[in-house]
Amino acid sequence: MMKKLTNWFLLILTLVLGFTSCEENENFEQCPEIKINVENETGSAVYRFAAQLDEVKDLRFTWSVDGEDVDTGNLNDLAGQILDYRFEAGKHTICVKVASEDCPIQVCTDIEVERDETNPCPDLFFESRQYERPSQYKFIADFRGVNEINYGWFINDEFVEDSSPNEDNYLIWDFKEPGRYEVCIKAETPDCANGTSYCKVIEVAEVNQACPEVSFSKEMEAGSVNTYVFEANVEGVDEVSELMWYVNNDLIENSTDQQNGNRTLLYQFAPGEYKICLKVTTPDCEEGVTYCKEIRIDGDCPNIEFSRDGDSLYERSGEQRDYVWTLNGQVIDDQEVILDNGREFSLRNLQAGTYKICLGIETPECPNGVEFCKEIVIEENDTTKCPELLFTRNGNTMVADFDSVKDVEVYEWLINDEVVETESNLNGNNRDNELSLEGYNPGTYVVCMIAETPDCPNGVKYCKEIIIE
């Protein structure tokens, strides 16, 4: 199998880029020279960046993409020396802040990402992070089509677990021995028969036997709203130097339990997903031990979702709310794009390509908001030569207008994206001009008609949302 980005220590396709210093400091002559090495396979949206410098002792690394800090998923500073990232197409600025007490400096580089849409193989990618103890990792697959194809997890070329569509997209693995491990995901598809893979090398450090066993318990504070009490459990040592609590990798400095050495954390959450970590150091375990848990805080956020119907995206609940649509991270409020009181997003003016489109909303009961996103692919297609489809509703019967459909090769009805087996298409006619919804339960249905002609080989689609009382 072809391997992509297989080893962060070999950086085969390295491009050494210049850097710019974004901060001034009187001790700059003592700072190490820093470069960003970039590794990318042409046509892939997955990149690897390595901060290259001679001396890494007592330095802290913080990466950002387009001005937003990136969670590397690890509290170990040295692990932050390398960043793997999957981008949307376009121009991006990547920076790394490298800081010690005497030497703050920021290095940036610009890239332009072009995804090869003609490559039939999936552009595989996964994130990695330490989980509940230093030797345990969670690997999270994240790539276009992750819920549509089969792929397998491998460690040092040995198969350990497979994943099928709609199954968990992660692997949790406890490394029994310290050492260097190559973790890969591999996939084959009908269009990618030779397969493809994506790999990372994980350095699992030897655990100091003098380090304590660390964990914590949690419970909701009585009578509170989303306020939790976390209680540290430290076993195997008599003296603790420091206990530090992190929420989504942010150090919580204002502890409510300073008299007891931060053994208890009281924290109120907004609805969302969080990673809570406890790091403990002792005189004999100066590097510390970290224990983490992931929790989900449910709130009164509405369930929102959209589906694609031809050249438009439709919010599915039918409720009128103050929706916000974003295209590749940019808020869209153009009245020629956002229609139907904010419930419809028109795709008609988008050029061929892949876009990340999100629908979001904030309410008084959901102050941090909720968001639903999909990657939308716009294919090359000369729609000016496609027929203009139309149907009208007569009671619970949909009646198509055939006057505008000439030389039809394929003509079908769909309900909620499922092809309807009508009497005509079962007989090979493929031109049934009526569709009956008699017998369907009350509810909301998305009814579509699709057609292909010699001048419109990719087809055209026309849809309506039908409510049956």
Side-chain angles (χ1 to χ4, degrees):
M1 284 189 179
M2 178 185 68
K3 292 189 174 181
K4 299 187 300 184
L5 308 176
T6 55
N7 195 319
W8 63 22
F9 297 99
L10 295 181
L11 292 178
I12 300 172
L13 303 177
T14 298
L15 173 63
V16 179
L17 303 174
F19 68 94
T20 58
S21 172
C22 300
E23 301 183 37
E24 294 292 336
N25 187 278
E26 60 182 356
N27 295 317
F28 259 25
E29 66 273 6
Q30 301 176 7
C31 295
E33 182 180 358
I34 302 168
K35 299 182 179 70
I36 297 179
N37 285 356
V38 183
E39 181 183 0
N40 167 255
E41 182 174 295
T42 302
S44 169
V46 176
Y47 281 68
R48 175 164 291 154
F49 307 91
Q52 296 291 300
L53 64 169
D54 296 332
E55 181 65 43
V56 298
K57 185 177 180 181
D58 297 328
L59 294 179
R60 300 178 299 278
F61 298 82
T62 302
W63 290 90
S64 65
V65 174
D66 298 331
E68 297 289 334
D69 286 350
V70 176
D71 177 11
T72 61
N74 201 316
L75 298 176
N76 185 327
D77 292 332
L78 296 183
Q81 191 175 352
I82 293 176
L83 171 69
D84 288 346
Y85 201 85
R86 183 177 69 89
F87 291 89
E88 301 293 335
K91 295 182 179 180
H92 301 277
T93 299
I94 297 87
C95 298
V96 61
K97 294 179 183 178
V98 186
S100 67
E101 292 183 356
D102 300 322
C103 181
I105 190 171
Q106 177 168 281
V107 183
C108 297
T109 186
D110 294 324
I111 62 171
E112 184 162 1
V113 178
E114 295 183 2
R115 168 81 172 108
D116 182 4
E117 301 296 344
T118 64
N119 186 349
C121 294
D123 199 15
L124 302 180
F125 180 70
F126 64 84
E127 298 179 357
S128 62
R129 59 188 65 205
Q130 283 182 318
Y131 198 44
E132 293 189 344
R133 45 188 176 272
S135 62
Q136 189 179 74
Y137 278 73
K138 185 174 184 179
F139 305 100
I140 307 168
D142 180 20
F143 57 89
R144 187 194 307 173
V146 66
N147 292 321
E148 300 172 4
I149 68 171
N150 297 312
Y151 55 95
W153 294 93
F154 294 78
I155 298 180
N156 288 349
D157 280 334
E158 292 188 10
F159 173 76
V160 295
E161 189 173 300
D162 63 355
S163 182
S164 300
N166 298 317
E167 292 184 349
D168 291 336
N169 65 332
Y170 59 82
L171 169 71
I172 296 176
W173 193 260
D174 196 357
F175 294 93
K176 303 300 183 183
E177 300 291 337
R180 182 180 299 177
Y181 297 86
E182 185 180 59
V183 181
C184 301
I185 51 175
K186 302 180 181 181
E188 296 179 7
T189 68
D191 296 327
C192 183
N194 292 327
T196 184
S197 65
Y198 171 79
C199 303
K200 291 181 181 180
V201 173
I202 304 299
E203 287 277 2
V204 180
E206 185 172 1
V207 178
N208 187 341
Q209 297 301 316
C211 291
E213 290 285 334
V214 175
S215 64
F216 59 78
S217 59
K218 71 175 179 68
E219 63 180 15
M220 183 176 288
E221 185 181 40
S224 70
V225 177
N226 294 341
T227 298
Y228 281 79
V229 179
F230 301 88
E231 185 73 32
N233 301 312
V234 183
E235 300 179 2
V237 295
D238 296 326
E239 182 181 353
V240 172
S241 300
E242 190 173 24
L243 285 90
M244 293 170 285
W245 294 94
Y246 295 82
V247 176
N248 287 347
N249 281 7
D250 292 329
L251 177 64
I252 308 302
E253 297 181 350
N254 297 323
S255 171
T256 58
D257 183 40
Q258 296 181 0
Q259 292 182 349
N260 296 315
N262 289 349
R263 288 184 178 266
T264 300
L265 173 67
L266 182 69
Y267 199 88
Q268 184 176 26
F269 298 89
E273 295 182 354
Y274 299 87
K275 184 175 74 171
I276 315 302
C277 294
L278 170 65
K279 185 173 183 179
V280 178
T281 63
T282 71
D284 296 324
C285 181
E286 295 182 355
E287 70 275 17
V289 178
T290 301
Y291 176 84
C292 300
K293 283 184 179 180
E294 293 178 346
I295 66 171
R296 178 181 178 87
I297 306 298
D298 294 323
D300 295 326
C301 293
N303 292 323
I304 59 173
E305 187 178 0
F306 62 79
S307 58
R308 182 174 181 177
D309 299 323
D311 289 334
S312 293
L313 306 176
Y314 287 95
E315 191 280 323
R316 299 200 61 170
S317 75
E319 296 187 27
Q320 299 296 335
R321 301 189 179 112
D322 293 328
Y323 296 108
V324 176
W325 292 89
T326 59
L327 175 67
N328 291 341
Q330 299 295 317
V331 175
I332 304 298
D333 55 9
D334 188 333
Q335 294 184 359
E336 294 184 1
V337 177
I338 308 302
L339 309 171
D340 192 14
N341 293 320
R343 292 188 54 236
E344 178 185 353
F345 187 105
S346 175
L347 305 173
R348 294 181 183 87
N349 294 325
L350 291 182
Q351 297 180 351
T354 300
Y355 301 88
K356 182 178 181 181
I357 300 180
C358 297
L359 174 66
I361 188 172
E362 294 182 7
T363 67
E365 297 77 22
C366 182
N368 290 329
V370 64
E371 191 174 56
F372 177 81
C373 301
K374 279 186 178 181
E375 281 191 342
I376 302 297
V377 179
I378 307 296
E379 305 286 354
E380 289 281 3
N381 191 13
D382 185 1
T383 57
T384 61
K385 298 180 180 180
C386 292
E388 294 184 6
L389 302 185
L390 178 68
F391 64 82
T392 58
R393 180 177 182 176
N394 183 7
N396 283 336
T397 299
M398 309 302 120
V399 182
D401 176 8
F402 278 104
D403 292 339
S404 61
V405 182
K406 309 297 183 183
D407 301 322
V408 174
E409 293 182 345
V410 176
Y411 185 92
E412 291 178 322
W413 292 93
L414 299 90
I415 298 178
N416 292 345
D417 289 330
E418 299 269 341
V419 175
V420 180
E421 298 291 355
T422 64
E423 182 177 350
S424 292
N425 65 38
L426 286 174
N427 293 330
N429 186 350
N430 289 332
R431 272 186 77 127
D432 198 327
N433 70 334
E434 291 187 358
L435 173 70
S436 175
L437 297 183
E438 294 294 341
Y440 279 78
N441 293 325
T444 301
Y445 299 87
V446 177
V447 178
C448 302
M449 54 192 300
I450 59 175
E452 294 178 12
T453 69
D455 292 331
C456 183
N458 292 327
V460 64
K461 187 177 184 181
Y462 175 78
C463 300
K464 283 185 179 181
E465 197 173 76
I466 303 299
I467 299 176
I468 298 179
E469 301 293 344

